[in-house]
Amino acid sequence: MALIFFGTPEFAVPSLRSLIDANEDIALVVTQPDKVKGRGHILSAPPVKEAALLNGISVLQPSRIRDEDFYKTLSAINPEFIIVVAYGKILPEEILRIPESGCINVHASLLPKYRGAAPIQWSLINGEKTTGITTMLMDSGLDTGDILMQNELLIEDNDNAKTLSLKLSVMGANTLIETINGLRQGKIKPVSQPPEATYAPPLKKADGHIDWEKSSEQLFNFVRGMFPWPSAYCYLDSERIKILRAKSLSKKDIGTRFPLIGELDMNRKSGVPGTILKASHGELIVEAGSGYLLIEELQPEGKKLMPAGSFLSGRKLREGHDKFS
């Protein structure tokens, strides 16, 4: 029987490709409408649309999914499954009831943790050590459907939302194929989710503003959870600066790594989070609520990403006085 695939961003592309490689009959791909992007305001197609068209699969991009003609189109296909991977909209019940064997969702967390739109980002921001993929049978709630399969993934210290998304997209694609095969063979039975849920709401640009009162470990997690969008940012005077890569340093780290020629004079420690304690020899260290943040890559407003050394070149920042806000 045929499948219908709902998905939009790059995260969903490996799942679509895995279905194609498995010779599944994908009758239709549904994705979000094209959007204007970038400074050139170029109309760009979603990655899923591009992948589908390259493989000769029909694509629909409805602006409204609660549309009678759209519903009739889906119903006429009489699909075995509807597969949903990061589509971007909640499907109404009338669509959920269309497929003979149900709607399968690939979600980037170990449900019931991190239900919602941004599970990858929030797992990093909250300092989780593991995450994973859940496939579930969809119902009318927000990621509340019965669990089909789960696979766990270790979060590494050098992961950010971009790298973790890539890893999980591949894991999600593999888990999807396992799930479909397991359901067809009767080896997988849906299991209700435990009640202790947490949530991962969508992120807005304003959510990236750095709170220097937090610990350096929290800021380290925040920076990598916000990369590449909306990006962690702060201000130096009135200049908006994105912090794209950083490390957390403890007082012990400072003593070990910067012992020479007063590289960081702890006696002049200001006690004010956000204060720039070192801005020389290519190294930028900022005081946090506890600990210190070593900033490695950043992006001043209107400029390209650069290492901290390039940012400091030509700037005369006063160590112990100048402050990020």
Side-chain angles (χ1 to χ4, degrees), residues 2 5-6 32 66 79 105 117 125 154 157 198 232 248 272 280 287 302 323:
F5 186 90
F6 280 69
Q32 297 279 350
R66 295 180 182 273
N105 178 240
I125 292 168
L154 179 69
D157 283 347
T198 59
S248 171
V272 178
S280 57
E287 187 170 343
K323 182 176 179 293

Side-chain angles (χ1 to χ4, degrees), residues 48-124:
V48 162
K49 177 183 178 180
E50 294 178 344
L53 293 178
L54 281 174
N55 288 277
I57 302 171
S58 297
V59 175
L60 284 181
Q61 297 174 273
S63 56
R64 293 177 59 253
I65 57 174
R66 295 180 182 273
D67 177 84
E68 185 64 25
D69 289 339
F70 178 58
Y71 172 79
K72 288 179 179 178
T73 299
L74 300 183
S75 297
I77 293 171
N78 189 29
E80 178 187 11
F81 295 107
I82 287 179
I83 310 298
V84 182
V85 187
Y87 172 57
K89 290 184 179 180
I90 296 176
L91 301 190
E93 286 192 50
E94 55 266 28
I95 291 179
L96 297 178
R97 289 193 294 264
I98 289 174
E100 178 180 304
S101 300
C103 293
I104 300 173
N105 178 240
V106 177
H107 186 76
S109 79
L110 298 174
L111 292 170
K113 295 183 74 173
Y114 297 109
R115 292 174 178 169
I120 296 172
Q121 292 89 336
W122 284 106
S123 65
L124 287 163

Side-chain angles (χ1 to χ4, degrees), residues 10-11 14 107-110 114 118-133 151-173 221 224-228:
E10 191 64 42
F11 180 85
H107 186 76
S109 79
L110 298 174
Y114 297 109
I120 296 172
Q121 292 89 336
W122 284 106
S123 65
L124 287 163
I125 292 168
N126 291 337
E128 299 286 356
K129 300 303 181 184
T130 58
T131 184
I133 288 290
N151 283 316
E152 188 172 296
L153 179 70
L154 179 69
I155 298 176
E156 299 179 1
D157 283 347
N158 61 351
D159 273 323
N160 54 40
K162 183 177 181 178
T163 62
L164 190 57
S165 178
L166 178 60
K167 294 177 184 179
L168 287 170
S169 69
V170 174
M171 176 179 277
N221 289 328
R224 60 198 189 121
M226 289 287 171
F227 182 86

Side-chain angles (χ1 to χ4, degrees), residues 249-269:
L249 300 176
S250 65
K251 190 170 184 177
K252 183 179 179 181
D253 293 329
I254 291 293
T256 302
R257 294 184 59 174
F258 304 99
L260 301 176
I261 56 171
E263 293 236 32
L264 185 64
D265 181 2
M266 297 306 296
N267 292 325
R268 73 181 174 199
K269 182 175 181 291

Side-chain angles (χ1 to χ4, degrees), residues 202-233:
L203 293 171
K204 307 180 295 294
K205 282 188 177 182
D207 293 330
H209 197 175
I210 294 172
D211 178 3
W212 292 103
E213 298 282 348
K214 294 184 180 296
S215 72
S216 59
E217 187 67 25
Q218 288 175 307
L219 294 178
F220 163 69
N221 289 328
F222 183 77
V223 167
R224 60 198 189 121
M226 289 287 171
F227 182 86
W229 192 93
S231 296
Y233 69 92

